[in-house]
Each structure stands twice: as C-alpha cells, then as structure tokens.
Amino acid sequence: MTEVTDRHVEAFLEMLAAERGAALKTRQAYASDLSDFARHCTPASLAQATGEQVRSYLASLSQAGMAARTAARRLSCLKQFYRFLMLESIRSDDPTDRQQAPKISASLPRPLDEKEIRLLLEDGTKGHENERRDLLSRAALELLYTTGLRISELLSLPASCVKAKGAMLLVRGKGGRERLVPLSRSAREAAEALVYFDRDLGSPYLFPGRDPSKPLTRQGFDKILLACALKAGIDPERVSPHVLRHSFASHLLAHGADLRALQMLLGHADIATTQIYTQVMAERLRQLVTAHHPLAKVTPVDPADSE
C-alpha cells in the first residue's frame, strides 16, 4: 500500500476503536482484509479503487474457494472503509455501492439434547487427573451452558465476578458492550469452588492459564472440553463452546423463552442474528403438530370418492 493509503487505513482503524469500540482482533482482521484487497488493486491505491476492481476481487475469492460467509465479511469491511472515506470527503463515491454480498445459507444449529447436556455435566466433569481439573471442568461447563457465553467472554471473566452475591453476572461482550445474564446457583457454586481452590495463585482471572497473570487459552480450554466429552461418552466432534451456546439458546426457546429476551442474553446486536433459532423451533412445532394434532394423522379424503 502507498503511504497515503496507509494513512487512510490507520485513520479508519482509529475510528473503529474510538467511535465503535471495536476490539483489537476486529481491527486486525479489518487491516488484514484491506491489505489483501490492496494487493489485488496494485498498482492503484485503495483510495482510488473502482467498482470493477471490487467485483473482480470478490470473483477471485469465489474462484479460490473461499467460503461465502468469509467473502461477505470482507465485502462488509470494504463497504465500511469506503463509506468512511466518503464521510471524510476523501472520495465522492462508493465503489462497493452496487456490489451485493455473497448469499449465505442460514445454517441450523446442531445442539446437544438435554440428556447429553446432563451427561456432560455429571459424567464429563468427574475423574480427571486431579481435583482442580474436575473443579475447572465443572465451573466452565456450568457457566457456558447456563449463561450462553461466547468462549472469549468466558475466558476473560475476572475471578471477582463471583464475589458479588447477586443473581446476575456482568459480561463484557463484543465491541466492549456490557450485558447482564442470570447466574444459576449451581454455576455460581462451581465458580466459587474453583476460585477458592485457586486462592493462592493470585490470578485476576476466573480461569487462569499456566501463567496466572493471563487467562486460560482457547487451545487449553479445547483440551479440557475434549476430555469432558470423552468421559461423558459423547462424540468430541459434536462438543464445542459454540455448540454449548447453541444448546443454551435452543433449549430456552424449546421451553418458551421470548426471542427478544434471548437476543439480550446472547448479546446479539441485531435480532436477525437470533432469528436463526426460530428455524429450529419451526421444525419442532411441525413435529408436535404431526404427533399430537387430532387431524394430523387422518388420511385426506379424495373429493372424487365422495361423488
């Protein structure tokens, strides 16, 4: 990228941090996406890119086999960048204006059923190599399933989160947005037991890593979850932090939760993101009608037979 383009990108990333509270990883992803597009535009600069270059770039991503969701994210980054340039009077037009995002098929969550969750919590959190691993497994699984937290939110929880004896847990989510989620008694007790066991570590985190001054890594947590799944007799390929979050949402809806309330609990900025779960419920309702409606099993009468 040219020096001028570098300044534009830097200003854009600073705006994301200052005005939108974008996390460091988000800004790094945007910087990477813009760098990739800049290489495609060479020798032209990002600030001078044309609509044809945007179209050819997206076509190249498709030809390279990139997933539609990833390509759509890159286009979203470009749209935000060029709208920023227009607001700053650096450009008078938006080269992404007429570019449609790749179609993304809504994927249905594949949650664990309630019986499998019980197995995971009861059998998967016992008999590990030491007492602390049992306590850690129990606290992590209880919190993930009963709150629907993202794994990044779980691992960044401070140890002090269980000191307040209220029924709610303060969570800092994407973009620094905070929300309150109910904390069950069993999840609180499991977290308190872990904090008490780790009292001499002096870690600020509920789930400390090998270095107590830092949180447990995602890779470290994955190893714990793998061991829990194996002990519970569940295929490890079906168990992940994201699956537990899906299970939390799907089970709440199955028991009558409101979609708007679920949006708040999950920390979704847009309810459209939450509505994917209604597809799961639609199928469940269809099965209920088929199984229990008095006319559902009646064979339709052919009008010709009544003549």
Side-chain angles (χ1 to χ4, degrees), residues 248-259 262 274 277-278 281:
F248 163 83
S250 299
H251 296 172
L252 277 179
L253 279 178
H255 288 279
D258 175 76
L259 195 63
L262 186 60
T274 318
Y277 292 102
T278 62
M281 292 309 300

Side-chain angles (χ1 to χ4, degrees), residues 155-160 195 198 202-209 211-216:
L155 297 181
S156 63
L157 284 175
S160 59
V195 170
D198 286 344
S203 175
Y205 295 100
L206 177 59
F207 298 103
D211 178 353
S213 67
K214 299 178 180 179
L216 180 68

Side-chain angles (χ1 to χ4, degrees), residues 153-175:
E153 295 169 343
L154 178 82
L155 297 181
S156 63
L157 284 175
S160 59
C161 70
V162 294
K163 290 184 178 179
K165 297 299 180 181
M168 306 296 284
L169 178 68
L170 179 65
V171 179
R172 184 179 294 275
K174 286 186 175 181

Side-chain angles (χ1 to χ4, degrees), residues 26-261:
T26 299
R27 302 197 304 274
Q28 290 174 335
Y30 278 28
S32 175
D33 291 346
L34 290 172
S35 294
D36 191 61
F37 181 54
R39 287 190 289 272
H40 179 81
C41 293
T42 302
S45 70
L46 275 180
Q48 299 169 337
T50 64
E52 179 56 36
Q53 285 175 316
V54 173
R55 286 189 290 274
S56 66
Y57 175 64
L58 291 174
S60 71
L61 297 181
S62 177
Q63 293 169 1
M66 178 173 287
R69 188 175 300 276
T70 305
R73 191 207 70 205
R74 291 199 177 184
L75 176 59
S76 173
C77 171
L78 295 180
K79 283 181 176 291
Q80 293 179 63
F81 176 67
Y82 287 110
R83 286 170 187 166
F84 168 75
L85 294 187
M86 290 178 67
L87 287 172
E88 295 295 311
S89 299
I90 297 169
R91 282 190 69 129
S92 60
D93 66 320
D94 178 0
T96 69
D97 186 45
R98 296 186 179 182
Q99 181 62 53
Q100 294 185 343
K103 291 185 178 180
I104 303 173
S105 58
S107 57
L108 290 175
R110 297 180 180 178
L112 299 175
D113 62 36
E114 295 181 38
K115 180 180 179 181
E116 289 173 318
I117 289 292
R118 285 194 293 272
L119 283 174
L120 199 59
L121 289 173
E122 294 171 5
D123 297 345
T125 59
K126 300 175 183 175
H128 292 271
E129 61 265 32
N130 54 55
E131 181 184 359
R132 184 180 184 278
R133 181 56 64 89
D134 286 353
L135 294 173
L136 174 60
S137 301
R138 183 78 189 189
L141 292 181
E142 283 275 2
L143 279 165
L144 274 179
Y145 176 64
T146 62
T147 63
L149 295 183
R150 301 177 178 93
I151 183 59
S152 58
E153 295 169 343
L154 178 82
L155 297 181
S156 63
L157 284 175
S160 59
C161 70
V162 294
K163 290 184 178 179
K165 297 299 180 181
M168 306 296 284
L169 178 68
L170 179 65
V171 179
R172 184 179 294 275
K174 286 186 175 181
R177 292 187 295 270
E178 294 184 339
R179 69 184 188 278
L180 288 171
V181 296
L183 183 62
S184 70
R185 176 181 295 180
S186 61
R188 174 179 291 282
E189 290 175 349
E192 288 175 339
L194 178 62
V195 170
Y196 181 77
F197 191 92
D198 286 344
R199 62 191 182 280
D200 295 332
L201 293 179
S203 175
Y205 295 100
L206 177 59
F207 298 103
R210 291 183 180 274
D211 178 353
S213 67
K214 299 178 180 179
L216 180 68
T217 64
R218 172 64 187 270
Q219 292 74 20
F221 183 83
D222 286 344
K223 292 179 181 179
I224 295 170
L225 197 56
L226 170 64
C228 291
L230 291 173
K231 287 185 177 297
I234 301 173
D235 181 359
E237 292 294 323
R238 298 183 56 235
V239 182
S240 71
H242 202 50
V243 165
L244 290 175
R245 180 169 158 87
H246 279 323
S247 301
F248 163 83
S250 299
H251 296 172
L252 277 179
L253 279 178
H255 288 279
D258 175 76
L259 195 63
R260 182 68 68 177

Side-chain angles (χ1 to χ4, degrees), residues 262-284:
L262 186 60
Q263 177 194 2
M264 296 174 63
L265 291 172
L266 292 173
H268 288 159
D270 188 344
I271 197 169
T273 308
T274 318
Q275 285 174 336
I276 189 172
Y277 292 102
T278 62
Q279 299 177 55
V280 179
M281 292 309 300
E283 175 61 18
R284 179 176 180 274

